[in-house]
Amino acid sequence: MLYYRFAINDYPGPLPSKLVMPDGRVVLPEYSPADIIAAGYVEAPPQPSVQPYEILDWNGYDWVVTDPRTIESWKEYRIQEVSKCRRDEEEDFVYGGTPINLNSDTQARIDSAISGLERKPAGSTVWWQSGTTFIQFDLPGLEALGVAAFDHVEACFNNAKVLVEALQACTTIAELDAVDITVGWP
């Protein structure tokens, strides 16, 4: 439980390790309800839960929750959330039943491997590792992986574009909150 002293506009907190009574006596814990009241403490109302963007404050007798968001700041925040979702979804790629972390390094390695195989004799192969799985690719197989990876990344960007446009069209915070940025990903 949290307590405050109304007379001095105290911020709620736990009771101190000792109470000083108006007559100067010091009372040590196991305080009685009468001791708490006599020392000027009042039980604070339960602290409300708040969203990460909200500010919790105390006005001297009750909790106050403030939402500092503006339409512009919240719109920018939600657009940044879409970008984060896009990056996460882009990396979550499965090819031929094998999960591949399709980050920018992996995409560059696919392109490099294709370029390398193009300079090798026909029928040459390369090994690709994803976790503990090794996959052998010839040039057409590696090109198919490259196309699938490209299509996956492009689908992620296309969905991000749709979601950002939906967010940009919003005129209220409630509308921004109603846009579900978890849908439409490949």
Side-chain angles (χ1 to χ4, degrees):
M1 281 190 251
L2 299 177
Y3 293 86
Y4 69 101
R5 290 179 290 177
F6 183 74
I8 60 172
N9 196 17
D10 229 3
Y11 195 86
L15 289 172
S17 59
K18 60 184 176 186
L19 294 179
V20 179
M21 298 298 170
D23 62 7
R25 258 182 329 113
V26 174
V27 178
L28 299 173
E30 295 309 321
Y31 310 127
S32 71
D35 290 336
I36 295 169
I37 292 169
Y41 286 91
V42 178
E43 185 177 337
Q47 189 172 336
S49 61
V50 294
Q51 297 298 321
Y53 53 82
E54 292 176 319
I55 297 170
L56 179 64
D57 205 359
W58 178 255
N59 67 8
Y61 58 91
D62 203 359
W63 297 105
V64 177
V65 178
T66 307
D67 184 347
R69 299 176 296 173
T70 64
I71 184 74
E72 295 82 15
S73 69
W74 196 240
K75 189 177 289 189
E76 180 60 31
Y77 175 79
R78 293 296 314 256
I79 288 170
Q80 289 172 8
E81 282 186 317
V82 169
S83 294
K84 182 184 178 314
C85 282
R86 181 197 46 79
R87 284 188 303 274
D88 291 346
E89 293 295 332
E90 188 176 305
E91 291 181 5
D92 188 21
F93 176 62
V94 177
Y95 183 75
T98 302
I100 297 174
N101 182 7
L102 195 58
N103 57 31
S104 56
D105 288 342
T106 305
Q107 294 174 49
R109 286 185 180 127
I110 292 169
D111 290 341
S112 178
I114 290 170
S115 293
L117 272 181
E118 287 173 339
R119 292 188 294 273
K120 294 283 190 177
S124 295
T125 61
V126 295
W127 287 98
W128 193 268
Q129 181 181 1
S130 179
T132 59
T133 303
F134 285 87
I135 307 166
Q136 191 171 25
F137 286 104
D138 59 6
L139 182 58
L142 197 55
E143 287 174 332
L145 170 62
V147 168
F150 178 86
D151 289 346
H152 176 76
V153 170
E154 185 64 17
C156 289
F157 273 99
N158 288 339
N159 191 57
K161 180 180 181 294
V162 168
L163 293 172
V164 166
E165 287 172 348
L167 291 168
Q168 288 172 331
C170 293
T171 58
T172 67
I173 288 174
E175 289 175 0
L176 287 166
D177 287 341
V179 176
D180 184 355
I181 64 171
T182 65
V183 299
W185 301 105

